[in-house]
Amino acid sequence: MEQKNTREKKAVILLSGGLDSTTVLAIARDAGYACYCLSFIYGQRQAIELEKAKESSARLGAAEHLVLEIGLDRIGGSALTSEMEVPKGRSFAAMEETIPQTYVPGRNTIFLAYAMAWAEVVGADDIFIGVNALDYSGYPDCRPEYIEAFEKMARLATRAGTEGKRSLRIHAPLMNSTKKEIIQMGTALGVDYAATHSCYDPGIDGRACGQCDACLLRLKGFAEAGIRDPLQYKAKEEK
Ligand code: ZN
């Protein structure tokens, strides 16, 4: 908070309220950026993550937090935005092989497009996104070649880019990190993981299911890092 207006470098941070994006916010802040956090209400069933995003952006001293409403549930096609079943209890090998129902069509492209527009308005040359190509669910819009292609497109798409004054960069600092490394990094930077949410299918009380891909990867990461996960999980037999 204290350095809010003295930081000259500005960055737009895509902040979902999950473990990865909250760590990314801490990384950007540590690198000296004034952080403009961007979150979306997109019809996701895990809308509780937005509360966490608000908490973390305030706690980590964001310059601004913008929450936009976009109705991706009207498009559907994903277990996160419709009544489709969230896969539970998948093996880590299966996660690497098939793109699950929790994939949201076009999500990162849509989010990055909003981030690009806001970056141009606030005068930010940098966008941070918490995508990860290792411990993840096999989503196509989390791969390095996708991020590179978007960066190239953003330079063609913006006034700032075509006038040659500025060059937009997309940072994906967690791209090649394991969950264990991400948790260790965030812990060292003072992230409070109690103020993050990962579960795709939380109960009405907000507790994580412990069985979806996001929960399983998170639990594995904390176990490997030797750090206690501060979240509460539902017992297996609970619905
Ligand atoms: Zn879960």
Side-chain angles (χ1 to χ4, degrees):
M1 253 351 161
E2 75 289 352
Q3 290 156 314
K4 202 166 169 175
N5 300 313
T6 58
R7 293 176 172 227
E8 284 175 10
K9 288 191 294 180
K10 294 174 179 173
V12 172
I13 321 292
L14 286 172
L15 181 69
S16 71
L19 185 153
D20 294 340
S21 67
T22 307
T23 307
V24 162
L25 167 59
I27 290 170
R29 197 184 137 69
D30 185 60
Y33 288 95
C35 296
Y36 289 75
C37 298
L38 182 56
S39 305
F40 299 91
I41 300 172
Y42 62 93
Q44 67 271 51
R45 60 166 83 205
Q46 72 285 23
I48 183 189
E49 65 184 11
L50 286 163
E51 295 308 313
K52 304 290 186 182
K54 279 181 201 158
E55 209 176 317
S56 291
S57 63
R59 200 174 164 272
L60 291 166
E64 212 175 311
H65 184 208
L66 179 64
V67 181
L68 295 179
E69 206 163 334
I70 47 171
L72 295 186
D73 52 330
R74 302 280 304 275
I75 293 175
S78 167
L80 295 191
T81 56
S82 72
E83 290 308 308
M84 283 157 78
E85 197 85 2
V86 171
K88 301 279 169 76
R90 297 209 304 157
S91 70
F92 295 115
M95 289 181 204
E96 278 171 26
E97 274 161 25
T98 50
I99 298 170
Q101 308 261 46
T102 49
Y103 164 67
V104 181
R107 184 174 54 181
N108 282 349
T109 307
I110 293 163
F111 287 3
L112 278 170
Y114 277 98
M116 177 189 83
W118 200 31
E120 193 164 22
V121 173
V122 300
D125 290 340
D126 301 271
I127 293 172
F128 283 75
I129 181 167
V131 294
N132 176 256
L134 290 180
D135 284 341
Y136 82 129
S137 272
Y139 301 142
D141 53 0
C142 289
R143 294 174 298 170
E145 50 270 49
Y146 163 74
I147 296 295
E148 277 164 35
F150 191 96
E151 186 177 77
K152 205 170 164 194
M153 185 281 289
R155 289 175 183 173
L156 295 171
T158 52
R159 183 169 65 190
T162 42
E163 286 176 350
K165 290 183 197 144
R166 300 208 319 258
S167 197
L168 201 67
R169 287 177 298 263
I170 316 279
H171 302 258
L174 309 181
M175 183 61 82
N176 299 308
S177 309
T178 62
K179 272 283 185 273
K180 170 192 167 184
E181 290 165 343
I182 294 167
I183 292 161
Q184 287 171 332
M185 229 184 296
T187 302
L189 291 171
V191 172
D192 176 10
Y193 285 114
T196 63
H197 174 88
S198 303
C199 182
Y200 289 146
D201 192 21
I204 24 173
D205 61 358
R207 270 189 305 164
C209 78
Q211 295 296 314
C212 68
D213 288 6
C215 280
L216 292 171
L217 288 167
R218 177 180 173 119
L219 285 164
K220 174 173 166 272
F222 273 100
E224 287 175 2
I227 296 171
R228 195 184 67 84
D229 184 352
L231 285 195
Q232 278 206 325
Y233 290 84
K234 284 191 275 190
K236 252 189 184 170
E237 57 280 5
E238 272 181 81
K239 282 279 171 199

